[in-house]
Amino acid sequence: MNYSINFKFKNTILIYLSILLLSFGCKESANTSVSGIKVDNIQALNEAIKDAKPGDNIVLANGVWKDVEIKFRGEGTKDSPIVLSAETAGKVSIEGKSYLKFGGQFLVVQGLHFKNGYSPSRAVVEFKINDDEIANNCKITNCVIEDFNKLKRDDSDLWVNFWGRHNELSNCYIAGKTNRGPTIRVNLEGIESINNYHQIINNHFGPRPVKGGPSGETIQLGNSFTSMAPSYTMVANNLFEECNGEVEVISSKTNFNEFRNNVFYKSEGSLVTRHGNYCTIDGNYFIGDGVNKNYGGIRIINTGHWVTNNYFFNLKGTSFRSPLAVMNGIPKSPQNRYNQVTDVVVAYNTYVNCSTPWQFGVGTNIDLAEVLPKSEIRSARAIRTTVANNVIYNEKGLEAIVIENDKADGVTFINNIVDNKGVDFKDFAGGIKEASLTLKSLSENIKIPTGVPSDIEPYKGFDFENIETDLFGKSRKDNNSIGAIIGEDIANPNILDKSKYGTDWFSNESEAKTPVYHKVSNASEIQIKLDAANNGDIIVLNPGVYTVEQSLVINKTVTIQSTDGGKAQVLFSGAVNTPLFALNPKGKLTVNNVDLKGNNGNYAFASLKENMSNHFGLSVSNTEISNFNYVLKVYKEAFAERITFNNSNISDCANGIELSEEINDKGDYNTEYLTIDNCKFNNVKANVVDYYRGGYDESTIGGNLLVSNSTFTNCGSNEENRILLNHHGIVNVNITGNTFKNNPVAFVSVLWGAKNNSQSNNTLSNSGQIKVQENLEMKLMY
């Protein structure tokens, strides 16, 4: 172990210095045209690649390159790489069915914009053409990959797929992946791809929307079956902004990886050492908003990790999303499950206003022994783990600094300081000490505790001398102190200055636009106005009756509402099983104060049946909905982050809200948040609410159902399973303040007692009962 840690720290100093140097000067002039061997079509490009020599620069002419499969072969040298450039960075867009593959060595691609399409292969960018043509010492830089999704959510791909050794993804902006599969993956299958020393540096990973199930990581390093292989991948100086795909923003599944100086900003997940050992997690920022409980920190599994100099601010997550979550393992764990945490160091970190700074025994499931196989029971607690020299500051005192989901008896706490505002806490034999600290503000998101008592000397554990600098790179040798930050005279690090990350030509900042109101007086104008509207605009229906014969296409963010002081009625006479509102990819619809009426055979709202390449959204308020076959029909592979019905009446419909087609039992579901508040349901015969997630996977911790302050009368007469509100497998359910009258069902709801399912203040009359079933039998996903 001594050799491994010394090797890791000493040899990464030079690598880290080189990363810092790379971060300077990466924002040069954006619109400078380059010269070289200019090509303007794929045939010419292929010829230029075929003839390329070290030092050549192949220039793609500005414009749209559609349906291009670029296989960039070549043998450059370290001093004279072969370069493939956009004529002007950002002016070459790769669209349609397109990809880029590297094969050879010392190849560089720069300045491209992937958009308006998807890869017809397993990756958008891949450091491999085939098993005989693998890339080494190659780089993609100053590029953008944006919304380049497969047409179907279940079609898995990767946007950057690493193979070989010493390859690099740098100064890129990557955002908008909605389909299955990590955004970035490092593969270690084959001896040519281990000990790879890949670099993922200086990138801006923009928003990745919630996927609605597993396999939505932003970065995955390795997989379960190569988890014992050494990788030495460096992930440094990146901004992760709203990377919300799933509970793991980064999933490290190999050995000797390093995560340094990254910023995780409002990302609904954690950096997770899922498999593999001996990772270094140093100098990272984890920033929440003090409200959202999904913003995570670091989750630890396996052996030998060092977690040092990290800063955690305003994180309210618990359990899997705690600022520090140390999991229980499975004794003699299979390779694809959870190994016991051993020989981990957590030192010199700072936590400010975090609800549950440290949780141990996360994921313990001994109480599920009756319904899970023995190979799934996580009972192995962390051992030989040291938590030392950390600082915690709370504006409001916590009852527990350490949450013990299982005993933390294998953890040693030494020289940790907390300002807990006088609230008593378990101090673990004096390993956590109370102190009165002051909070100094460097910026909105960086506030540092000061005033650590001078008599508190940092604990000097084994190999602690190798922690040579603090969060800001200041030397610990001459003036060391506990916590992530030495001293008080600190300049604002400006960690959210987006110009420090990503390309020199693209920004995801956009000015808020004032919505335009489009007034409509007759039915034929509605679709015309929808087509003319921009994102955020409002379609205003004058009072009257609008008879609509064909589905209205919703493919942008738009509101449809009645004019003030009146209420429009929309009668839909469209064909059976067609929707009044067809919710397309990126179609986010708000309906307010409208009367919607069907012909008993059609639908009020529905997603497309296929090719939902991006999310939709739906919010309905102050609206009457009647005489439809389905109120809402969502098909397989369609997903909405939020669906909301508020202050609305739903009556005389054959079916209600149908979100139950993800029956492959792989942990997927159709919406993250389904909210029904202050609504009235009357004579809805079946599927009043049908919201389904199947497949047991502990890392899938959604969806979310809230049914509140609503009335259900004479509903469920045709419900085959005799349950009024079906929410099988949904983890977070709250049914509160509702009235259920004369519903001919056996159960209003069957709650999953082992998960976050609850009910309160409901009134039931001639409507069966609300049942709690502690453990659901669910199909294992792996």
Side-chain angles (χ1 to χ4, degrees):
M1 179 177 176
N2 188 27
Y3 170 78
S4 299
I5 294 174
N6 278 306
F7 178 86
K8 179 166 53 176
F9 276 94
K10 291 178 180 178
N11 282 272
T12 56
I13 291 174
L14 292 176
I15 296 174
Y16 182 49
L17 288 174
S18 69
I19 292 170
L20 290 177
L21 290 173
L22 280 169
S23 69
F24 294 103
C26 67
K27 297 290 179 183
E28 298 174 358
S29 176
N31 291 313
T32 301
S33 296
V34 298
S35 60
I37 305 166
K38 189 173 179 179
V39 295
D40 60 8
N41 60 72
I42 189 64
Q43 291 78 18
L45 173 59
N46 289 337
E47 285 297 318
I49 290 173
K50 180 180 177 182
D51 297 335
K53 302 180 296 296
D56 282 352
N57 184 19
I58 303 170
V59 179
L60 275 64
N62 289 346
V64 175
W65 289 65
K66 189 173 182 180
D67 298 334
V68 290
E69 299 180 1
I70 302 174
K71 297 178 180 178
F72 188 19
R73 297 178 168 94
E75 294 292 328
T77 67
K78 182 178 181 180
D79 296 327
S80 298
I82 301 171
V83 181
L84 180 62
S85 302
E87 179 182 0
T88 305
K91 301 295 185 181
V92 173
S93 61
I94 309 298
E95 304 187 15
K97 299 178 183 179
S98 299
Y99 62 65
L100 165 68
K101 295 180 184 291
F102 291 85
Q105 60 180 338
F106 295 107
L107 309 175
V108 178
V109 172
Q110 56 191 21
L112 307 182
H113 192 173
F114 291 82
K115 63 179 182 177
N116 299 329
Y118 63 93
S119 172
S121 73
R122 62 187 174 186
V124 179
V125 175
E126 187 159 26
F127 288 95
K128 173 181 178 178
I129 295 175
N130 54 54
D131 289 344
D132 297 320
E133 294 181 281
I134 296 174
N136 295 293
N137 299 293
C138 293
K139 174 167 67 173
I140 180 167
T141 187
N142 204 29
C143 292
V144 168
I145 307 176
E146 183 184 22
D147 294 340
F148 214 69
N149 291 298
K150 297 276 194 182
L151 295 180
K152 296 183 178 181
R153 184 171 71 143
D154 286 353
D155 285 353
S156 180
D157 73 346
L158 307 154
W159 283 8
V160 181
N161 196 15
F162 279 89
W163 301 88
R165 294 181 175 180
H166 298 286
N167 295 314
E168 180 179 309
L169 171 71
S170 60
N171 297 103
C172 290
Y173 176 80
I174 300 176
K177 194 172 194 294
T178 58
N179 63 306
R180 179 176 288 272
T183 308
I184 314 295
R185 178 183 284 159
V186 171
N187 290 282
L188 287 90
E189 295 170 353
I191 194 170
E192 66 279 357
S193 293
I194 65 172
N195 294 308
N196 56 65
Y197 294 94
H198 295 314
Q199 305 241 335
I200 302 172
I201 54 176
N202 304 324
N203 301 288
H204 181 178
F205 294 102
R208 174 162 188 175
V210 176
K211 177 187 166 291
S215 196
E217 304 93 333
T218 296
I219 296 178
Q220 183 188 83
L221 306 181
N223 59 45
S224 302
F225 305 105
T226 60
S227 59
M228 293 298 103
S231 184
Y232 296 101
T233 294
M234 174 71 77
V235 180
N237 200 41
N238 302 287
L239 171 61
F240 296 86
E241 179 188 15
E242 297 180 18
C243 293
N244 302 337
E246 61 143 86
V247 72
E248 298 181 10
V249 178
I250 296 179
S251 184
S252 181
K253 297 186 174 185
T254 48
N255 295 313
F256 305 112
N257 297 314
E258 301 193 30
F259 307 93
R260 295 184 178 273
N261 293 88
N262 301 287
V263 177
F264 297 83
Y265 178 64
K266 294 184 178 179
S267 289
E268 295 187 350
S270 302
L271 192 170
V272 182
T273 61
R274 182 62 183 85
H275 297 303
N277 308 301
Y278 307 110
C279 287
T280 298
I281 305 174
D282 181 82
N284 303 281
Y285 299 84
F286 299 85
I287 309 296
D289 64 357
V291 178
N292 190 328
K293 295 182 179 181
N294 291 335
Y295 299 147
I298 297 170
R299 180 156 53 99
I300 296 296
I301 305 114
N302 282 59
T303 291
H305 310 301
W306 284 65
V307 180
T308 57
N309 291 320
N310 300 287
Y311 177 79
F312 306 82
F313 178 70
N314 261 359
L315 299 177
K316 302 303 177 183
T318 61
S319 188
F320 278 64
R321 288 183 167 113
S322 300
L324 177 73
V326 179
M327 290 196 67
N328 266 17
I330 297 170
K332 299 180 180 179
S333 174
Q335 199 168 12
N336 67 335
R337 305 311 302 126
Y338 285 88
N339 283 299
Q340 185 176 21
V341 173
T342 72
D343 306 296
V344 166
V345 172
V346 179
Y348 293 110
N349 302 285
T350 293
Y351 303 79
V352 176
N353 292 334
C354 297
S355 294
T356 58
W358 298 331
Q359 285 210 19
F360 289 84
V362 171
T364 183
N365 60 355
I366 299 171
D367 58 330
L368 299 179
E370 293 181 2
V371 295
L372 292 176
K374 186 176 181 180
S375 62
E376 286 298 308
I377 302 303
R378 295 186 292 274
S379 60
R381 301 192 289 265
I383 59 173
R384 300 192 303 275
T385 290
T386 301
V387 178
N389 302 339
N390 301 284
V391 172
I392 298 173
Y393 178 95
N394 298 314
E395 289 181 347
K396 291 184 177 180
L398 304 176
E399 293 183 3
I401 305 303
V402 178
I403 301 294
E404 293 180 276
N405 300 280
D406 198 352
K407 292 181 180 179
D409 52 4
V411 182
T412 301
F413 296 88
I414 309 175
N415 273 26
N416 301 286
I417 292 295
V418 58
D419 186 337
N420 204 42
K421 296 296 181 284
V423 177
D424 290 338
F425 58 88
K426 182 178 178 180
D427 67 0
F428 289 85
I432 307 174
K433 303 175 182 179
E434 174 79 22
S436 180
L437 306 176
T438 301
L439 203 60
K440 179 179 180 179
S441 178
L442 301 185
S443 69
E444 181 181 355
N445 296 299
I446 306 294
K447 303 179 189 297
I448 60 173
T450 63
V452 174
S454 58
D455 60 343
I456 300 295
E457 289 288 332
Y459 169 69
K460 297 178 181 179
F462 181 74
D463 264 340
F464 273 43
E465 68 275 10
N466 289 316
I467 309 172
E468 296 181 346
T469 59
D470 75 348
L471 174 66
F472 300 125
K474 191 172 182 179
S475 175
R476 289 191 177 276
K477 287 187 177 180
D478 300 323
N479 186 28
N480 199 11
S481 64
I482 67 173
I485 302 147
I486 298 173
E488 301 178 11
D489 187 18
I490 307 295
N492 180 6
N494 293 312
I495 60 171
L496 295 179
D497 178 358
K498 294 182 183 180
S499 67
K500 293 182 175 182
Y501 316 94
T503 73
D504 61 12
W505 54 268
F506 180 90
S507 172
N508 71 342
E509 297 286 346
S510 60
E511 294 183 3
K513 295 182 179 180
T514 302
V516 174
Y517 288 77
H518 304 264
K519 291 188 177 181
V520 173
S521 298
N522 59 72
S524 63
E525 291 182 334
I526 300 177
Q527 187 65 62
I528 294 172
K529 298 294 186 181
L530 284 170
D531 293 341
N534 294 313
N535 279 321
D537 284 358
I538 298 171
I539 310 297
V540 180
L541 305 180
N542 290 323
V545 177
Y546 297 77
T547 300
V548 175
E549 298 177 353
Q550 293 183 330
S551 296
L552 299 172
V553 176
I554 307 298
N555 56 14
K556 62 193 69 171
T557 300
V558 67
T559 296
I560 297 177
Q561 66 184 40
S562 298
T563 189
D564 291 341
K567 192 168 189 177
Q569 183 181 60
V570 179
L571 302 179
F572 184 45
S573 60
V576 170
N577 300 331
T578 64
L580 169 56
F581 295 103
L583 301 166
N584 283 234
K586 297 189 178 181
K588 297 184 178 179
L589 173 65
T590 297
V591 176
N592 182 38
N593 192 33
V594 181
D595 185 354
L596 308 178
K597 192 169 185 177
N599 63 8
N600 296 309
N602 49 29
Y603 307 160
F605 309 93
S607 69
L608 300 184
K609 291 184 178 181
E610 57 184 5
N611 296 338
M612 287 294 292
S613 61
N614 216 304
H615 294 354
F616 73 94
L618 178 63
S619 178
V620 179
S621 58
N622 307 304
T623 291
E624 306 282 335
I625 303 173
S626 63
N627 297 101
F628 287 97
N629 184 358
Y630 279 91
V631 175
L632 170 63
K633 176 73 170 177
V634 178
Y635 293 95
K636 183 175 172 55
E637 300 184 280
F639 184 79
E641 187 165 346
R642 294 184 183 275
I643 295 173
T644 301
F645 289 83
N646 178 256
N647 294 323
S648 295
N649 296 333
I650 298 171
S651 61
D652 299 319
C653 294
N655 296 276
I657 299 167
E658 179 71 45
L659 302 151
S660 65
E661 291 210 1
E662 296 295 351
I663 57 174
N664 55 8
D665 289 347
K666 292 184 178 180
D668 294 326
Y669 43 98
N670 289 122
T671 187
E672 190 67 25
Y673 296 96
L674 174 59
T675 300
I676 300 168
D677 179 59
N678 197 30
C679 292
K680 293 181 180 178
F681 289 74
N682 182 50
N683 192 31
V684 179
K685 294 180 175 59
N687 301 305
V688 179
V689 173
D690 198 353
Y691 182 17
Y692 180 86
R693 180 186 73 86
Y696 174 77
D697 175 29
E698 70 293 319
S699 65
T700 302
I701 54 180
N704 300 267
L705 172 64
L706 172 63
V707 182
S708 58
N709 308 311
S710 297
T711 300
F712 298 81
T713 307
N714 298 322
C715 293
S717 60
N718 292 344
E719 184 57 62
E720 293 182 359
N721 66 10
R722 306 293 308 283
I723 302 174
L724 190 71
L725 306 179
N726 289 280
H727 45 79
H728 178 90
I730 302 302
V731 174
N732 304 297
V733 175
N734 186 8
I735 301 173
T736 181
N738 304 288
T739 299
F740 301 93
K741 298 188 299 184
N742 299 325
N743 299 291
V745 294
F747 302 101
V748 163
S749 167
V750 178
L751 299 172
W752 191 359
K755 295 296 183 180
N756 189 29
N757 282 204
S758 64
Q759 67 92 16
S760 60
N761 301 319
N762 296 293
T763 301
L764 282 70
S765 175
N766 193 29
S767 297
Q769 60 178 306
I770 296 178
K771 176 184 177 182
V772 177
Q773 184 172 323
E774 190 63 25
N775 296 315
L776 293 182
E777 291 190 15
M778 300 190 75
K779 178 182 176 182
L780 290 176
M781 289 167 46
Y782 29 77

